Amino acid sequence: SNWLYLAKLSSVGSISEEETCEKLKGLIQRQVQMCKRNLEVMDSVRRGAQLAIEECQYQFRNRRWNCSTLDTLPVFGKVVTQGTREAAFVYAISSAGVAFAVTRACSSGELDKCGCDRTVQGGSPQGFQWSGCSDNIAYGVAFSQSFVDVRERSKGASSNRALMNLHNNEAGRKAILNNMRVECKCHGVSGSCEFKTCWKAMPPFRKVGNVLKEKFDGATEVEQSEIGSTKVLVPKNSQFKPHTDEDLVYLDSSPDFCDHDLKNGVLGTSGRQCNKTSKAIDGCELMCCGRGFHTDEVEVVERCSCKFHWCCSVKCKPCHRVVEIHTCR
Amino acid sequence: VPYMSVKCIDVRKNHHKTKWLMPWGPNHCEKLKDFDEAVSRQIEANDIVFAVHIPLPSKEMSPWFQFMLFIMQLDIAFKMDNDLKENAEITLDVSLAYRDDMFNDWEEIAHAIEIRKLKCTFGSPKTLESEGRHYDCDFLPFMEIGSVAHKYYLINIRLPVNERKGINVGIGEVKDIRLVGIHQNGGFTKVWFAMKTFLTPSILIIMVWYWRRITLMTRAPVLLEKVIFALGISMTFINIPVEWFSIGFDWTWMLLFGDIRQGIFYAMLLSFWIIFCGEHMMDQNERNRLSGYWKQVGPIAVGSFCLFIFDMCERGVQLKNPFYSIWTTEVGTELAMAFIIVAGICLCLYFLFLCFMVFQVFRNISGKQSSLPAMSKARRLHYEGLIFRFKFLMLITLACAAMTVIFFIVSQVTEGHWKWGDITIQVNSAFFTGIYGMWNLYVFALMFLYAPSHKNYGEDQSNGDLGVSSGEELQLTTTITHVDGPTEVYKLARKEAQE
């Protein structure tokens, strides 16, 4: 997942020259080569990484591990380099993020290479005339497969970590593919349903995040096993239902994320805000791991009675309000 | 084809309509990644242009696409303090331009300010938690063009904000505008054209043959014959591949024209069924005049007239303003609904009449059948022929109608469970061509089988004399049977079966 470091490289500007590829931190050699070959796509990859991190932080905002990133490599600290649930989620959301962002860029015409699904297999304008084209999701997924999975593939897909990562990457992309919305439009005589055209539209990325979060909560712990000569992952507890392509799998159990432990890249929960009334994981009891919490009264300036435009302009009055903020010890 | 609009910044202070903003390619516009960037750069809503280039890079549009239809989808995010108002309306400042060369200037086709109603629902509770989730919005009709004569099209959309007039206030936080373009596949168009070109002469030939048969008769053609002939004409009218011209010329009225042609054919077909039933009633009433059927044909006329008006309002106005849609305004929707409801009522009325008539015919048939053995040979032959041809037509009509309905349902269902593959699309196209071909065959068979026979002319004459002399059957002259009909019918039925 080191390539997610791309998201942090906002200073680089747009990736438009081959030399930039070499300078990008976190990419392995094969990815640098891909970068050089697909320069125009790299901006979307970066956008995908940003999307993934934003979504991860949104989904985990109330948990002990809140998907916080470091400014150094590895991006998420050691947690994600181990085979934990959290790692499973990060891999899934990041491969989904790339597929999403590339597909989107295709639809807005930023990429020359795609534009119409069929060109993945090398189509022609003739093909476009004959069969039209669907959403560009196939290109996005294919690119995500070749770019994100390359790390695991180059190691040889034999280690159980590689198998786990590949599985979770695929699960992330499946979260998009299986949640595509089918939309239809009738356009017969006077708009009657004599002719009907249907197409598939990508779900909003928030939806993808929600799906993956659910999968995270129901993730399966697996271990490696050999069936014939191929190595596969099977549930550790054989009484559990075997996992499907869409489920997340993990190998190691997660730490409790309570204490600050830089060696393992765990930031700990001290200093985190918590919810005094909640009994769930965002409640102070659980969040602070029983260490107790401070309560401060803080005056916050909020915007109120705002007038919004659909974009870019907000006229508000500042309002002062006193709120209690609870932070973990 | 899904398109994602690109958010451009119009940097010029006063918005002249002369400049077009390109989403990509050389000299593309200055892009915005998202609106947070716009907030930080203090760009106003009025300076943001959503630009869409059609088609996507390295593709070209072609006249074979026949038409272009665009629908718009807004991605509106939920924000606690910037909620979407009930019955919000969005005002769009849209313009459309074309060019045939990558390096030419854009030529404007249309420019309009359109108001669309937003129909959005929000799945989750409206709390702080679900901020940033998207509303579930119905898509909006955006644009319809009846010809694709140019290679490249460009759409520029603005959402102007005017607080004093309340324009675009309370429409939530618009994140993105997506367009979906629908056009006919070029390949399908080619197959379709080929079919029409092939069918036109065959129907035309049988029509000429049919008319010759009629003129060979010494009497004037009867109503049923005229109606069949009219049906042939309307079929030919539909068949004539005038669409060939749309490849060469920029005829945007092609869609409207096609609708009208189809409407005429349907009206003709429905009238034919009524008149056919009426002429086989075998009662004493003298019909043989269109005025005798005013009760049944009236609803057809009213219904098709309503649909015609509706179509003129929708597609007719779209000739001038491709962004127009009758459904966007309150009055327009009511008007459109009114037209459609009236047409629907007419159709129901028509089917009631038709069913009633068919029932009557069957009652008469069973009545006549019981008295058949007692009749003289000539009259028996006459009635048997009448009954036979009525039943035969009934059968093939029902078969054709059933096939059409089945195919229609199948095509709707398969699209409900859509799989993106060549197979599904081609199956649907095959359905359409199949149905079209079937109705052509129907009209063809009708003219072929129900042409008055010159061979048995003399016999018919005597039949007529007999009927008139007995003073019972005035309509005998109007329904001339051909005794060798059955063999011809069987021959054709065999042929059809082989096909």
Side-chain angles (χ1 to χ4, degrees):
Chain A
S1 68
N2 277 345
W3 61 270
L4 282 173
Y5 197 68
L6 280 177
K8 297 267 159 195
L9 297 171
S10 50
S11 58
V12 177
S14 125
I15 304 168
S16 52
E17 277 165 44
E18 290 197 5
E19 287 112 60
T20 339
C21 289
E22 311 245 357
K23 289 185 207 139
L24 297 174
K25 261 205 258 174
L27 300 189
I28 62 166
Q29 195 50 43
R30 295 268 290 274
Q31 282 173 329
V32 172
Q33 281 167 10
M34 280 206 69
C35 166
K36 283 182 184 168
R37 262 183 283 129
N38 303 287
L39 269 177
E40 47 165 31
V41 191
M42 291 316 286
D43 271 336
S44 311
V45 173
R46 180 161 65 180
R47 178 92 198 103
Q50 283 162 352
L51 258 177
I53 292 176
E54 272 169 34
E55 190 57 36
C56 178
Q57 290 178 346
Y58 173 83
Q59 295 291 347
F60 284 84
R61 68 200 179 285
N62 290 330
R63 296 181 67 103
R64 284 184 192 159
W65 180 72
N66 64 352
C67 207
S68 46
T69 52
L70 307 173
D71 283 335
T72 55
L73 283 169
V75 186
F76 291 100
K78 281 262 177 62
V79 184
V80 168
T81 53
Q82 294 152 2
T84 55
R85 257 176 209 256
E86 283 73 18
F89 183 85
V90 167
Y91 274 89
I93 196 92
S94 56
S95 77
V98 170
F100 187 89
V102 171
T103 306
R104 217 154 218 248
C106 277
S107 296
S108 49
E110 283 166 27
L111 310 179
D112 288 335
K113 282 189 186 160
C114 53
C116 252
D117 234 2
R118 267 149 240 278
T119 39
V120 182
Q121 293 110 27
S124 59
Q126 215 67 37
F128 173 56
Q129 273 207 17
W130 272 86
S131 47
C133 59
S134 66
D135 205 352
N136 303 293
I137 184 72
Y139 184 85
V141 165
F143 189 85
S144 164
Q145 259 164 359
S146 49
F147 185 83
V148 181
D149 290 1
V150 74
R151 194 177 200 92
E152 271 39 79
R153 298 223 185 273
S154 62
K155 277 186 211 153
S158 54
S159 78
N160 48 5
R161 264 317 298 284
L163 280 176
M164 168 189 152
N165 292 348
L166 283 177
H167 178 94
N168 292 328
N169 286 346
E170 196 54 39
R173 291 185 287 262
K174 283 267 157 53
I176 299 184
L177 283 174
N178 295 345
N179 287 289
M180 298 285 276
R181 287 179 300 180
V182 175
E183 286 159 352
C184 291
K185 164 84 179 162
C186 293
H187 53 98
V189 175
S190 327
S192 66
C193 252
E194 190 182 355
F195 293 97
K196 199 164 100 176
T197 305
C198 294
W199 65 95
K200 285 179 163 183
M202 272 202 299
F205 201 64
R206 178 55 41 86
K207 171 97 201 246
V208 177
N210 290 342
V211 168
L212 286 177
K213 179 69 193 320
E214 266 170 41
K215 298 287 179 200
F216 170 87
D217 292 332
T220 320
E221 187 171 7
V222 290
E223 59 186 3
Q224 204 181 45
S225 133
E226 279 184 37
I227 294 178
S229 57
T230 50
K231 289 172 178 168
V232 288
L233 299 173
V234 292
K236 216 168 196 172
N237 189 336
S238 56
Q239 286 172 352
F240 286 163
K241 231 173 26 178
H243 54 88
T244 63
D245 282 354
E246 301 153 41
D247 292 326
L248 298 184
V249 297
Y250 64 99
L251 295 162
D252 310 322
S253 47
S254 310
D256 59 8
F257 300 107
C258 278
D259 302 314
H260 189 74
D261 177 8
L262 257 194
K263 222 197 282 168
N264 286 319
V266 178
L267 293 172
T269 59
S270 97
R272 289 277 302 278
Q273 283 188 19
C274 59
N275 184 346
K276 197 180 168 189
T277 49
S278 168
K279 286 266 178 282
I281 189 71
D282 63 331
C284 290
E285 194 72 13
L286 286 172
M287 178 68 87
C288 307
C289 309
R291 292 185 308 257
F293 53 91
H294 302 285
T295 302
D296 298 311
E297 289 203 340
V298 185
E299 193 184 67
V300 288
V301 182
E302 282 188 336
R303 305 180 302 179
C304 57
S305 57
C306 293
K307 270 190 180 168
F308 275 92
H309 293 161
W310 60 269
C311 159
C312 326
S313 133
V314 196
K315 286 175 198 146
C316 295
K317 284 181 202 151
C319 299
H320 296 269
R321 202 154 67 97
V322 178
V323 284
E324 282 189 343
I325 288 179
H326 311 289
T327 38
C328 291
R329 268 182 228 273
Chain B
V1 186
Y3 297 98
M4 190 88 210
S5 67
V6 170
K7 297 171 275 278
C8 286
I9 310 165
D10 193 353
V11 281
R12 293 154 300 122
K13 264 284 147 268
N14 42 356
H15 310 291
H16 286 302
K17 297 288 181 295
T18 45
K19 200 188 154 198
W20 297 87
L21 294 169
M22 277 282 289
W24 43 261
N27 57 53
H28 63 76
C29 64
E30 195 183 340
K31 291 182 203 174
L32 273 178
K33 273 257 172 324
D34 48 39
F35 290 119
D36 297 338
E37 190 187 329
V39 174
S40 60
R41 284 173 58 182
Q42 296 195 320
I43 295 161
E44 280 186 39
N46 294 357
D47 290 336
I48 294 177
V49 177
F50 294 86
V52 177
H53 184 278
I54 302 158
L56 291 167
S58 71
K59 303 277 189 307
E60 281 178 11
M61 299 306 271
S62 95
W64 291 100
F65 291 155
Q66 292 289 295
F67 64 86
M68 275 199 302
L69 193 125
F70 280 87
I71 55 175
M72 181 165 76
Q73 264 172 322
L74 296 167
D75 288 343
I76 300 177
F78 171 71
K79 272 239 169 121
M80 276 301 273
D81 42 9
N82 187 14
D83 196 5
L84 190 67
K85 281 191 193 130
E86 283 284 311
N87 299 323
E89 284 183 342
I90 187 164
T91 309
L92 306 159
D93 179 338
V94 279
S95 35
L96 175 73
Y98 75 87
R99 67 179 177 187
D100 284 316
D101 196 291
M102 267 306 202
F103 308 101
N104 280 1
D105 284 336
W106 291 100
E107 301 278 341
E108 184 176 284
I109 299 175
H111 171 91
I113 291 176
E114 287 294 317
I115 296 176
R116 297 275 192 273
K117 272 214 179 66
L118 291 177
K119 285 194 201 92
C120 296
T121 51
F122 194 60
S124 11
K126 290 188 174 179
T127 53
L128 206 61
E129 282 290 277
S130 44
E131 222 171 60
R133 285 190 194 216
H134 286 198
Y135 283 94
D136 205 4
C137 291
D138 286 358
F139 51 73
L140 308 167
F142 181 68
M143 180 177 88
E144 213 174 323
I145 302 183
S147 73
V148 190
H150 306 290
K151 282 183 183 161
Y152 308 105
Y153 290 85
L154 179 69
I155 299 172
N156 276 188
I157 309 169
R158 291 164 206 265
L159 303 178
V161 173
N162 190 330
E163 218 161 317
R164 262 186 307 132
K165 289 182 191 161
I167 292 172
N168 282 340
V169 178
I171 55 169
E173 195 175 278
V174 178
K175 284 275 184 202
D176 269 308
I177 293 183
R178 284 179 293 144
L179 293 183
V180 178
I182 296 171
H183 53 71
Q184 190 163 304
N185 291 335
F188 177 69
T189 314
K190 282 172 194 167
V191 173
W192 192 245
F193 280 15
M195 191 160 165
K196 282 195 158 186
T197 321
F198 164 74
L199 285 171
T200 312
S202 42
I203 293 284
L204 211 63
I205 286 167
I206 196 83
M207 232 168 67
V208 170
W209 175 82
Y210 178 80
W211 193 243
R212 236 184 49 115
R213 273 290 178 86
I214 288 175
T215 45
L216 274 180
M217 319 269 292
T218 43
R219 59 176 175 79
V222 295
L223 178 63
L224 187 62
E225 285 161 353
K226 280 188 218 156
V227 171
I228 291 181
F229 188 66
L231 192 65
I233 290 177
S234 61
M235 192 82 233
T236 318
F237 191 45
I238 266 202
N239 277 344
I240 291 175
V242 275
E243 283 95 336
W244 282 113
F245 291 108
S246 70
I247 303 299
F249 302 95
D250 182 9
W251 285 353
T252 44
W253 42 268
M254 224 43 177
L255 271 184
L256 181 68
F257 186 59
D259 284 0
I260 292 172
R261 292 199 296 178
Q262 242 177 26
I264 291 176
F265 175 69
Y266 287 143
M268 225 44 241
L269 190 66
L270 295 180
S271 326
F272 162 72
W273 285 340
I274 277 285
I275 288 166
F276 188 83
C277 279
E279 296 298 295
H280 285 75
M281 205 65 113
M282 292 181 284
D283 52 11
Q284 277 72 38
N285 292 352
E286 165 69 76
R287 289 194 177 78
N288 204 17
R289 278 171 296 114
L290 200 59
S291 52
Y293 293 99
W294 68 267
K295 246 195 296 182
Q296 290 86 359
V297 178
I300 304 175
V302 173
S304 31
F305 184 70
C306 277
L307 286 180
F308 174 71
I309 297 282
F310 166 71
D311 214 57
M312 279 311 276
C313 288
E314 172 92 4
R315 291 216 159 130
V317 178
Q318 271 167 2
L319 295 182
K320 277 263 165 278
N321 174 10
F323 305 107
Y324 179 82
S325 168
I326 194 165
W327 300 101
T328 52
T329 57
E330 203 78 50
V331 185
T333 309
E334 275 167 21
L335 207 71
M337 276 320 277
F339 280 133
I340 288 171
I341 287 168
V342 170
I345 291 171
C346 287
L347 200 70
C348 288
L349 219 62
Y350 165 80
F351 271 107
L352 276 180
F353 277 128
L354 188 65
C355 288
F356 180 65
M357 279 184 108
V358 169
F359 167 74
Q360 268 190 325
V361 171
F362 269 111
R363 206 188 48 199
N364 286 350
I365 282 178
S366 58
K368 280 283 177 325
Q369 241 161 3
S370 57
S371 59
L372 264 183
M375 290 179 195
S376 68
K377 187 173 178 258
R379 276 186 62 196
R380 203 174 68 225
L381 269 178
H382 164 71
Y383 274 122
E384 273 177 347
L386 219 58
I387 291 167
F388 178 80
R389 56 183 228 175
F390 180 77
K391 283 193 170 163
F392 178 74
L393 184 93
M394 194 72 192
L395 215 68
I396 56 169
T397 305
L398 275 181
C400 282
M403 291 265 267
T404 310
V405 170
I406 289 168
F407 279 150
F408 182 71
I409 290 170
V410 167
S411 66
Q412 299 284 319
V413 170
T414 49
E415 274 170 334
H417 309 276
W418 189 252
K419 282 195 200 80
W420 263 114
D422 300 351
I423 300 150
T424 338
I425 305 164
Q426 281 167 11
V427 163
N428 282 331
S429 308
F431 279 168
F432 284 122
T433 40
I435 293 292
Y436 183 71
M438 188 184 73
W439 284 109
N440 260 290
L441 198 67
Y442 179 83
V443 173
F444 187 88
L446 218 59
M447 286 205 279
F448 183 61
L449 297 176
Y450 291 86
S453 169
H454 59 283
K455 278 182 232 155
N456 308 295
Y457 189 64
E459 198 185 334
D460 286 332
Q461 200 64 42
S462 66
N463 265 0
D465 291 344
L466 196 98
V468 173
S469 63
S470 63
E472 282 174 14
E473 303 293 333
L474 283 164
Q475 83 197 76
L476 262 188
T477 42
T478 68
T479 50
I480 284 114
T481 47
H482 40 132
V483 178
D484 65 341
T487 52
E488 254 180 275
V489 168
Y490 284 133
K491 253 190 264 165
L492 196 88
R494 242 200 345 264
K495 231 193 282 173
E496 270 179 274
Q498 279 165 1
E499 278 168 16

